[in-house]
Amino acid sequence: MTIDTTSPALTSPAAGPAPESRFATADGVTYHYYELGSGPDTIFLHGGGPGCTAWSDFGPVAPYFTEDRHCVLVDILQYGQSEKCLITGPMWDFHAAKTIALMDELGIEKADFICNSWGGTIALNLAALHPDRVRSLVVTGSMPVFYGPLAPLPERGHRGRKARDVYYGGEGPTRDKMRTLITSLEWFDADRLPEETLDMRYEQSLDEGERGLAAMSDSPRGDWQDLTERLGQIEAPTLFMWGREDAFLTPDYPMMLARMVQRGNLHVMDHVSHHLQEERPGAFHAVVDGFLRAIDHR
């Protein structure tokens, strides 16, 4: 057998130009979002890193899903062009309530959720509190509980916060610091990172509102919640999609989560870290699309 060593290296596409911006006011706050495609309602919630937005996190993979789905890509509150409101009280309860209000405003009765990290924890809590509004969940790299199956997690899940503090601290945000943050924590292969993605994240991180929130440390984001008691209430079929080289949480952690929800599943993808939907969007879609099509086959 001859092994082909001439195949080109894997590449990761940058997001194309963002579609038309849309805004909606729901329960007193203003959301920015994008709306594409037609078919089953599918809501995308992005991660919580500096400069993350709906388009930075899901722009590269969105074209796969828009072929047969109505995709709503939402800037989470305090990110992108959504309102930079201050949050008090339990943080995941706040986001769940506001997201339900947004669904009401957009006329979405029930949806599939495809979410990364911060957004995934929002969706898990929403599914536990409002099971009638969630058809299914796809969650990557989220931390809804503060412990692991083998050992306590370091820093009680605050590694992301410390990374944000380092990024905004010292000399302040720079393009080089953003590259270091992404390639050390979010992507497995630094050579795959498109310059356009780096620019998008860096330029958004300079937003005056986001810098103001970062200067307040964690207090403007609400009180941390451990969702251990909530996960067992989730009725929706749930797929935990995990990067084998996730820099935050190794795959034994989502295996534990998959056992904590009633219909939990786990897929571990090789050669990706925390933003697998950007690093290998075609492979990500192939797995998620199969899961979504299989939900009704029991």
Side-chain angles (χ1 to χ4, degrees):
M1 181 177 72
T2 301
I3 299 175
D4 180 8
T5 59
T6 61
S7 299
L10 291 173
T11 58
S12 302
E20 179 184 359
S21 286
R22 297 181 185 275
F23 294 87
T25 298
D27 194 21
V29 295
T30 300
Y31 278 96
H32 170 256
Y33 67 98
Y34 302 108
E35 190 171 23
L36 307 110
S38 61
D41 292 320
T42 310
I43 295 176
F44 294 73
L45 300 178
H46 60 82
C52 278
T53 66
W55 198 244
S56 75
D57 281 20
F58 290 107
V61 79
Y64 293 95
F65 289 100
T66 55
E67 290 184 0
D68 57 3
R69 291 187 161 269
H70 173 226
C71 300
V72 179
L73 283 63
V74 180
D75 281 352
I76 294 172
L77 292 172
Q78 299 186 333
Y79 287 86
Q81 298 182 61
S82 285
E83 186 169 325
K84 308 299 189 301
C85 58
L86 301 183
I87 299 172
T88 58
M91 62 196 311
W92 305 128
D93 288 354
F94 176 90
H95 282 291
K98 298 301 183 186
T99 305
I100 287 292
L102 177 63
M103 292 175 70
D104 291 341
E105 183 66 23
L106 299 182
I108 296 176
E109 183 63 29
K110 195 170 190 175
D112 297 301
F113 282 78
I114 299 176
C115 309
N116 176 246
S117 197
W118 196 269
T121 308
I122 293 173
L124 286 166
N125 192 41
L126 187 155
L129 297 176
H130 304 277
D132 57 323
R133 307 301 296 269
V134 180
R135 177 176 177 267
S136 74
L137 294 163
V138 177
V139 175
T140 67
S142 302
M143 186 187 289
V145 301
F146 297 156
Y147 50 86
L150 302 179
L153 296 174
E155 306 175 83
R156 288 177 55 83
H158 290 174
R159 185 175 181 179
R161 186 194 67 183
K162 290 192 175 181
R164 185 169 60 238
D165 290 345
V166 169
Y167 179 74
Y168 280 105
E171 62 183 322
T174 69
R175 196 171 183 276
D176 285 343
K177 288 172 73 173
M178 178 60 79
R179 183 189 296 278
T180 299
L181 185 152
I182 293 176
T183 57
S184 64
L185 293 175
E186 300 177 357
W187 286 55
F188 168 72
D189 187 346
D191 291 337
R192 287 184 186 161
L193 178 63
E195 293 299 309
E196 296 91 336
T197 300
L198 175 61
D199 288 338
M200 191 186 309
R201 288 282 301 275
Y202 170 60
E203 290 167 7
Q204 178 60 40
S205 76
L206 301 179
D207 177 86
E208 184 178 345
E210 293 192 22
R211 297 186 70 162
L213 290 169
M216 299 178 195
S217 187
D218 230 23
S219 57
R221 302 181 188 277
D223 301 330
W224 282 91
Q225 289 178 269
D226 183 297
L227 301 183
T228 298
E229 300 301 322
R230 299 269 173 87
L231 294 186
Q233 302 173 24
I234 296 174
E235 300 174 1
T238 302
L239 173 62
F240 294 97
M241 281 280 288
W242 227 258
R244 191 182 67 185
E245 288 81 17
D246 190 303
F248 292 90
L249 299 156
T250 57
D252 43 69
Y253 178 77
M255 185 68 247
M256 178 189 72
L257 298 182
R259 292 178 179 275
M260 294 174 72
V261 303
Q262 297 177 35
R263 298 182 64 187
N265 301 266
L266 171 64
H267 180 91
V268 179
M269 184 177 290
D270 66 292
H271 293 84
V272 288
S273 180
H274 200 59
H275 280 212
L276 49 165
Q277 79 282 359
E278 293 179 71
E279 213 167 346
R280 296 183 61 193
F284 177 87
H285 171 262
V287 174
V288 173
D289 184 61
F291 168 73
L292 295 174
R293 293 177 185 277
I295 285 173
D296 295 326
H297 296 277
R298 304 187 68 174

